[in-house]
Amino acid sequence: MGFNMVKSEENIDNKNEKLLKSSEFRTFFENILDAVLLTIPDGTILAANPAAEELFGYTEEEICKIGRNGLLDKDDPHLPILIKERIRTGKAKGELKFIRKDGTKFPGEMSTSVFKDGNGDKRTSMVIRDITKRKQADKALKNSEERYRSILENIQDAYIRADKKGNIIMASPSAALMYKFDSPQEMIGISAHSLYKKPEDRRNLIEQLLKQGKVEDYESEALRKDGTSFLVSVNSQFHYNEQNQIQGTKAFVRDITERKKAENQIEYQANLLSQVNDAVIGFTPNLLITYWNKGAEQMYGYSKNEALGKTTTEILRPNYNPGEYQKLNEEINKRGIKRALVHVKHKNGAKVIAEIDSTQIINDSGNIEYIIVYRDITQQKNLEEKRQELLEQVQLFNEELEVSNEELQSITEELQTRNEEIQQQKNKISEILESIQDNFYVIDYNWNYVYINKQSANAVNMEPQDFIGQNHWKMFPQYVGTVMEENFFAAMEKREVRQFKIYSPYNNNSFLDTVYPSTEGITIIGTNITVRKKAETELERANQKINEILNSIQDDFYVLDHNWKFVYVSEVFSSKINKTPEDFVGQNIWNMFPKHIGTTLEENFRAALSNRVIKRFEIGGKYTDAWYRMNVFPSAEGITIIGTDITEIKKTENELEKTLEELKRSNKELEQFAYISSHDLQEPIRMVTSFTQLLERRYKGKLDNDADDYIEFIVEGSYRMKYLIDDLLTFSRVSNDVDEFENVDLEKVLKKCYFQFILIH
């Protein structure tokens, strides 16, 4: 009987070994896509599937030879942690670095578990998956987020990204607005060449990019969706993939139409002034010369380089004592506009008498400067003095002096010639004034028009001559009692410069009027700011749209500056503590929420602000019972915070953890029950088997054939019962992981059962 028991157990082990080598198991083992290693806990590898051979570059024999340590990066800090976890729980899962045959390292996701084979020996399984592409995708996503933030930070200019073929793959809202598309999505897929009026401009830009790597301030003529064109300045460079290969272009585009118009106007005015025969000199309140035209060079003999940066006292050497000259300058500073005669000197020392018009302006830096037009009237004054002398001589020595008619005629002709020259200068001044694109007119102390340019007159469908001598308030009574009357009277009475905005019903435009006191009364310059007003309105709408987008975010969203004061707060966040966003702006966060001082929240906020790094963490509410996942991003203002309510997730995690603990306890009790039951059932089965075998040896052949068959059936049934009990005991000891249900070929199962039945019988 004992010999037969040992022989039966050997049969069981052989059957388990055959099962491991069966075609069904090998098919699963060899065709699974992940790498699978069957090992011993000490690191010895018993088998490796084809996916493992392909992943590591070794054959199965080589993998078994080098063992687990030859495939793992021993310096990986996660390795000892996962080993401890497997020792403690019998299984582990995590990310490790692995080494291929060629020495390259790659990140892999590994799951391993410990089990016992049919002999009760411990074995381990390792399933490995290459996650290199997933890591690259995560990195690419992060880069994409950083690029998107860059676009938001430069939202005033248009941001456009194109692929290698020149097709647009990304466009900012400002790009759609600039090129008059309905939305950024409408621009996706169109060719970037279609945005250039001249396609060769795009090709030239690409050629410069290939040579220089990036291009700045590239000016060209752009084309809108509606076919209109405008001038732009482009800053462009290539964008690359992870392998540093060019994937296309990205560019920031700025509309420079207005800037170009202003530059052309300034250039035109500068050229005009440079050609004027009169000397035009600009200087600061400290008398430092900032502008010196050709007329000044001719009148005083100093070149532009010699004059700029010097004081008017050094260059012009006025024929005044210092006190009188200082008084004149103070008068110019006080009144803003001053006409006077000055006596100065030429570079060669010659005396120059000039009539000046002094105008006070504000330069691009916001500082006061003065522009003075010097008209050389030295010859005229000399002629006047000479004429006066002649008249006096005629009066005193009428009887003694005979004036030659020819000399008198010559003097008269010379005076006439000079008067014509003066008239020409006046005509040039009128041309300059008429060329001004702004409204320009002068009103005397009786509110009558003294001068008005065509731009102003034509704006109300009239001619300049229709205004001269007419009373302003009688011509335009609708402006009485308005901001215009208030500022006109203030400038006239207080002799101060006034500036205000006003709407004109005549052409539906808005103007910025600047009023200067003058010797006649007041001088008015009206600048058309309609385009600027529209731009301000569009900007306000854009800001409103951005605020709507921010308020649509369902998570808590707020921005802190470098002094820990709220810059922006969403309504979602403020409403949770019954406040409005306005209650937060300008307030210090630590004063409003002192319970967070010294917590994880303060630690992470300060780290993100000082180190300019992104911080992510979870924290329980101090003022509510909720849990939040906090994301802190460094920004230009300070830090931007997004807080997501994860209270329900936390509750679910806690309930899941309790359920897992209860399941472990239940499985442990079930395992103990199976072990005890299988042990207790062994004894009666062993007794039935033993006595049946005795009955078989003693009475086999002595009874009829049916009795022998019945005894054989009892013995065979006892063995099968023993096998079932042993299998139950083995099952209670293995891992209680449950595989997912899958389709089973019942025909194969029946064939296998039939084959086992034949072996047993």
Side-chain angles (χ1 to χ4, degrees), residues 55 141 154 213 262 326 449 556:
L55 180 62
L141 178 61
N154 296 274
Q326 183 65 28
Y449 284 93
D556 295 349

Side-chain angles (χ1 to χ4, degrees), residues 200-239:
E200 58 267 24
D201 287 351
R202 169 73 178 178
R203 291 194 292 269
N204 292 337
L205 174 64
I206 299 300
E207 289 176 0
Q208 292 187 33
L209 278 175
L210 292 172
K211 293 178 181 179
Q212 304 171 12
K214 66 177 180 178
V215 176
E216 296 181 352
D217 295 328
Y218 180 81
E219 295 184 3
S220 66
E221 194 169 2
L223 198 63
R224 298 187 180 95
K225 179 185 176 183
D226 59 8
T228 58
S229 61
F230 62 104
L231 296 176
V232 295
S233 175
V234 182
N235 288 351
S236 181
Q237 63 185 45
F238 291 119
H239 63 90

Side-chain angles (χ1 to χ4, degrees), residues 673-686 725:
F673 172 76
Y675 180 79
I676 294 171
S677 298
S678 63
H679 184 272
D680 291 344
L681 290 173
Q682 289 279 5
E683 181 59 31
I685 292 300
R686 188 181 295 109
I725 294 172

Side-chain angles (χ1 to χ4, degrees), residues 102-117:
D102 60 6
T104 59
K105 297 180 180 180
F106 66 95
E109 186 179 71
M110 183 274 297
S111 61
T112 179
S113 61
V114 181
F115 65 94
K116 290 184 178 180
D117 61 12

Side-chain angles (χ1 to χ4, degrees), residues 396-412:
L396 294 174
F397 308 105
N398 186 37
E399 295 179 355
E400 299 178 3
L401 182 62
E402 292 183 0
V403 179
S404 171
N405 290 332
E406 293 180 359
E407 185 178 1
L408 288 175
Q409 183 65 28
S410 176
I411 294 173
T412 302

